[in-house]
Amino acid sequence: MADVAGPAADPATWSCPLPLRDHDTVVLGHGGGGRLSAELVEHLFLPAFGGADPAGLHDAAVVEAGGARLAFSTDSYVVRPLFFPGGNIGHLAVHGTINDVAMAGATPLFLSTAFIVEEGLPLEVLGRVAEAMGEAARLAGVRLVTGDTKVVDQGHGDGLFVTTAGVGLVPPGVHIGPDRARPGDAVIVSGSIGRHGIAVLSVREGLEFGTVVESDTAPLHGLVAAMLAAAPGVHVLRDPTRGGLAATLNEIAASSAVGVEIAERAVPVPPEVRAACGFLGLDPYAVANEGVLVAFVDPASVDAVVGAMQDHPQGRGAAVIGRVTDAHPGVVAAVTAIGGTRIVDLPLGEQLPRIC
């Protein structure tokens, strides 16, 4: 990989020009997985809850019970439209929670689900979503073991919202977390980015980009198991959903107090996604994904881990896109195609509302 640190760049001296934000009401950006979401958690939820275990502030909390280490996660899915190329809200609800549990290195075992249904939703639609969830769970080898259903008045919902929670077992000796990145670690993505967000946007807005862009929604726990079996040295795993790759790299850089440097030429962005983002003025690094993971891996384990990823159906597009540095802690920098350096900032809110 090329040296991604520009000799004249000093990212530690750069700052974001955005003003401080002071909202009296919730805005869509508070749910976008970016800076506004982080502020909501830090300034509203944590004080109200009396603080929280840092392990519970990420995709899944790892807790000990009965001598076992369990990964526990919950997430809500409010995507609009409910059906999109490559999947639907049911697939997202199952795959998303499986992936959150898997990003702790755990083997997902059980899921719960809760439906909030708006009066008037056709039963045929609800049935298709439920069947998709059942099939996705069976194929992933997890069990849907409990759930709940509520119906709200017509006009007081948006068709259907789904919440899932998941529990998985963390194998002995596996310790993965967003605060474990170390200088020298390689930054790896498992495949191309941006397809899910563009797939949803194309259907919702009736846009055509010359080809059908399908969501990448998929379970990643099998890929994670293959990576962990190939070599030790996997320090961090995250799936870049809301906020995309940009939010994920910034969160890890901040949690681990390290700098991250990536080479833009190495980041796999499909041509159709790049074209759509260029047309719409979007940053593909901030577009959501539902079947991609980011890994921070010790240099001694990189070849074995990348090889195992490329041998797995969900990791055939795996690529090393950057490295961790002890310079500019908390900052993500990217070397552009023409050799310049730019900051990859944490997105403020949501580029594409209601995509997860």
Side-chain angles (χ1 to χ4, degrees), residues 139 248 299:
L139 292 175
T248 292

Side-chain angles (χ1 to χ4, degrees), residues 5-347:
D10 185 9
T13 65
W14 301 350
S15 63
C16 176
L18 290 171
L20 294 175
R21 292 159 295 282
D22 185 13
H23 297 281
D24 294 327
T25 59
V26 173
V27 298
L28 276 176
H30 282 122
R35 196 178 300 277
L36 288 176
S37 294
E39 291 178 355
L40 190 68
V41 171
E42 180 180 356
H43 300 302
L44 190 148
F45 287 117
L46 289 185
F49 295 168
D53 186 332
L57 299 179
H58 306 293
D59 286 346
V62 176
V63 297
E64 295 190 4
R69 287 194 302 145
L70 303 176
F72 178 48
S73 181
T74 187
D75 208 341
S76 295
Y77 299 85
V78 294
V79 63
R80 181 169 59 86
L82 300 176
F83 298 85
F84 46 81
N88 59 54
I89 191 172
H91 293 114
L92 286 186
V94 171
H95 295 159
T97 296
I98 285 176
N99 292 345
D100 284 347
V101 171
M103 294 307 110
T107 301
L109 298 174
F110 305 108
L111 298 178
S112 73
T113 183
F115 297 91
I116 297 179
V117 186
E118 182 180 7
E119 181 184 26
L121 182 76
L123 283 173
E124 180 268 343
V125 170
L126 184 59
R128 289 171 60 194
V129 171
E131 288 178 359
M133 295 181 69
E135 180 184 28
R138 285 192 297 275
L139 292 175
V142 299
R143 292 176 57 198
L144 287 160
V145 293
T146 187
D148 182 50
T149 302
K150 297 290 189 298
V151 179
V152 298
D153 294 341
Q154 197 163 40
H156 292 265
D158 200 8
L160 176 65
F161 301 146
V162 181
T163 295
T164 45
V167 175
L169 190 61
V170 183
V174 172
H175 298 280
I176 292 172
D179 60 343
R180 298 179 66 85
R182 297 292 180 267
D185 281 358
V187 182
I188 304 169
V189 295
S190 63
S192 58
I193 65 169
R195 287 193 286 131
H196 174 71
I198 296 301
V200 173
L201 181 67
S202 65
V203 174
R204 190 173 59 209
E205 304 300 338
L207 300 176
E208 296 182 359
F209 304 114
T211 185
V212 176
V213 181
E214 292 195 346
S215 170
D216 58 1
T217 179
L220 296 170
H221 60 304
L223 175 62
V224 170
M227 295 167 65
L228 296 177
V234 178
H235 294 159
V236 183
L237 292 169
R238 287 295 297 271
D239 55 337
T241 54
R242 294 175 307 161
L245 181 67
T248 292
L249 295 181
N250 273 280
E251 290 167 4
I252 294 169
S255 296
S256 296
V258 296
V260 175
E261 298 171 351
I262 62 172
E264 289 195 333
R265 285 184 175 178
V267 179
V269 182
E272 59 273 22
V273 170
R274 191 179 298 281
C277 287
F279 176 74
L280 298 167
L282 304 175
D283 180 358
Y285 292 3
V287 176
N289 313 273
E290 292 291 346
V292 176
L293 65 78
V294 177
F296 285 55
V297 177
D298 186 278
S301 298
V302 170
D303 289 344
V305 170
V306 170
M309 295 174 75
Q310 292 175 340
D311 287 339
H312 192 277
Q314 301 302 330
R316 293 208 170 100
V320 177
I321 64 168
R323 61 186 172 88
V324 176
T325 176
D326 55 5
H328 51 80
V331 174
V332 180
V335 171
T336 67
I338 60 172
T341 304
R342 71 177 180 91
I343 290 292
V344 180
D345 201 11
L346 181 65

